[in-house]
Amino acid sequence: GRYYDGDVWTLYEHKDHATQYLPIGCILTIPAAGSEMSNGSVITNDEVDGWLKKDYCVDEFRCKFAIMNPELTFTLPAWQTACGITDMMMHTFERYFSVEDEMTVTTAIAEALLRDIMLNAHKVMENPYDYNARAQIMWAGSLAHNDLTGCGSIGDWATHNLEHELSGMFDVSHGAGLAAMWGSWARYTCPVNITRFAQFAVNVMGVTQNFKSVEETAEAGIEACEAFFRSIGMPTNIHDLIGREITDEEIEIMADKCCEFGARTVGELMKLEREDMVNIYKMAK
C-alpha cells in the first residue's frame, strides 16, 4: 500500500491500523452502501476455507467529493436496484433498532427516510428511467449511512455481521443476504425492545396498532417488512437466497466465524453469543 507496508488483511482483523490514507472520491453508480458518505470498507479473504468477510472503518475513508448523477443508475438491473434499496434500509435499521431510543428527532428522520425509500422503490422498479424516483433513492442511500440516522443512538449491526458470513460462504449479493436474515434477527431480538418494533410497525409499515397486544403489532410490522422485500424480488430466508436448504454444519461454520470462535459477541440491542447466532441462522433456514 501507499502508506502501509504490512498485510492489508491485518487491518481488517483489527490487529493494526494505518496512520495515513490517500484521499478518496467517487462516482456513484449503485445507490446502496452509502460509500459516498460512509467511513467503511469491506473485503473478502478468499484464501480462507469458506471465505471470510470483514470490515475496516476509519473516518479517512469518507470521500472528499462524490459525483451523484441519477441518470447513471437508469440501466441498473432490477436485482441490483432491489439489493441496493435493501442495503440502505438495513443501514437505517441497524441504527433505529437500538437500546437507545430517546432521540425523537433522529427517530423521526429515520422513519421518514424508510417510508420514502419504500415509496420510491416501487416507482423505480416499475419505471427504471424515473429520474425523480432514482434521485430520491440515491440521496436516501447517502443519508442512510452517513450516521445521521444514528445520531444519539448505539448501532446494532448484528444482521450485517450475520450476513457477512452468508455472503462470504455463498458469494451472494449483500442486500439479498440482509433481507434473508433480518426477519429472523428481528423476531429473535424484538422482546428486548418490543415497543420499538411496534412503533416501527405503525409509523413505518403502516400497520394498525393492536392496543391489546404490543407483541402482535410488532410481529405484524416484521411481516409487513418481509412482504415489502418480497415485493421487490428479495428473498426472506436462506433457502430462497441460495436455492437449497442450508446444512447444520454450514450454520456451525458461519457461527464460528461470526463470533470469531467465541472471542466476541455481535449486536447491541441483544449481544449475541455463538448459540444465539446458530439459533438465528436456523430460524432463517
Side-chain angles (χ1 to χ4, degrees), residues 9 12-14 41-46 48-56 87 160-175 177-178 257-258 260 264:
W9 191 246
Y12 288 81
E13 292 177 327
H14 305 143
S41 66
V42 180
I43 61 172
T44 298
N45 187 339
D46 58 8
V48 176
D49 185 31
W51 293 13
L52 194 61
K53 188 173 179 179
K54 295 293 180 184
D55 65 359
Y56 177 53
D87 194 17
H160 267 73
N161 280 284
L162 291 165
E163 192 286 327
H164 281 171
E165 304 313 327
L166 262 181
S167 56
M169 179 175 284
F170 298 106
D171 196 25
V172 296
S173 299
H174 177 56
L178 291 170
K257 289 181 178 179
C258 192
E260 296 180 356
R264 69 165 186 170

Side-chain angles (χ1 to χ4, degrees), residues 226-260:
E226 287 179 319
F228 167 76
F229 288 143
R230 288 191 293 269
S231 77
I232 61 171
M234 289 287 96
T236 51
N237 58 63
I238 296 174
H239 183 281
D240 290 348
L241 175 70
I242 66 174
R244 65 167 174 85
E245 185 154 330
I246 192 171
T247 67
D248 288 343
E249 181 183 5
E250 287 167 334
I251 286 175
E252 297 288 337
I253 292 171
M254 289 194 300
D256 279 338
K257 289 181 178 179
C258 192
C259 73
E260 296 180 356

Side-chain angles (χ1 to χ4, degrees), residues 70 73-76 81 123-131 134:
T73 69
F74 283 176
T75 56
L76 275 178
T81 297
K123 290 181 179 180
V124 297
M125 297 303 284
E126 292 170 8
N127 177 13
Y129 296 91
D130 185 331
Y131 181 96
R134 286 286 192 186

Side-chain angles (χ1 to χ4, degrees), residues 262-275:
R264 69 165 186 170
T265 62
V266 299
E268 292 294 338
L269 182 62
M270 176 189 290
K271 293 185 182 297
L272 304 179
E273 305 280 354
R274 184 186 184 281
E275 181 181 0

Side-chain angles (χ1 to χ4, degrees), residues 114-129:
L114 289 165
R115 290 193 301 268
D116 203 68
I117 290 171
M118 289 189 291
L119 174 66
N120 285 290
H122 285 132
K123 290 181 179 180
V124 297
M125 297 303 284
E126 292 170 8
N127 177 13
Y129 296 91

Side-chain angles (χ1 to χ4, degrees), residues 103-219:
M103 291 294 292
T104 56
V105 172
T106 299
T107 294
I109 292 171
E111 290 173 349
L113 189 63
L114 289 165
R115 290 193 301 268
D116 203 68
I117 290 171
M118 289 189 291
L119 174 66
N120 285 290
H122 285 132
K123 290 181 179 180
V124 297
M125 297 303 284
E126 292 170 8
N127 177 13
Y129 296 91
D130 185 331
Y131 181 96
N132 187 61
R134 286 286 192 186
Q136 307 310 313
I137 291 294
M138 181 174 273
W139 183 219
S142 300
L143 297 179
H145 206 30
N146 68 355
D147 289 332
L148 174 65
T149 60
C151 182
S153 69
I154 300 173
D156 184 76
W157 300 104
T159 307
H160 267 73
N161 280 284
L162 291 165
E163 192 286 327
H164 281 171
E165 304 313 327
L166 262 181
S167 56
M169 179 175 284
F170 298 106
D171 196 25
V172 296
S173 299
H174 177 56
L178 291 170
M181 289 303 308
W182 182 78
S184 295
W185 169 85
R187 290 185 177 92
Y188 195 84
T189 61
C190 71
V192 177
N193 193 349
I194 192 72
T195 57
R196 186 61 150 187
F197 282 87
Q199 179 178 346
F200 165 77
V202 175
N203 290 359
V204 178
M205 300 311 304
V207 169
T208 300
Q209 185 163 333
N210 184 335
F211 290 100
K212 294 182 180 180
S213 175
V214 66
E215 290 82 8
E216 288 188 13
T217 303
E219 173 59 25

Side-chain angles (χ1 to χ4, degrees), residues 13-57:
E13 292 177 327
H14 305 143
K15 295 178 180 177
D16 197 6
H17 66 277
T19 56
Q20 193 172 354
Y21 302 82
L22 288 170
I24 298 172
C26 83
I27 300 173
L28 186 61
T29 57
I30 303 180
S35 299
E36 65 278 5
M37 279 195 176
S38 85
N39 69 341
S41 66
V42 180
I43 61 172
T44 298
N45 187 339
D46 58 8
E47 295 179 356
V48 176
D49 185 31
W51 293 13
L52 194 61
K53 188 173 179 179
K54 295 293 180 184
D55 65 359
Y56 177 53
C57 304

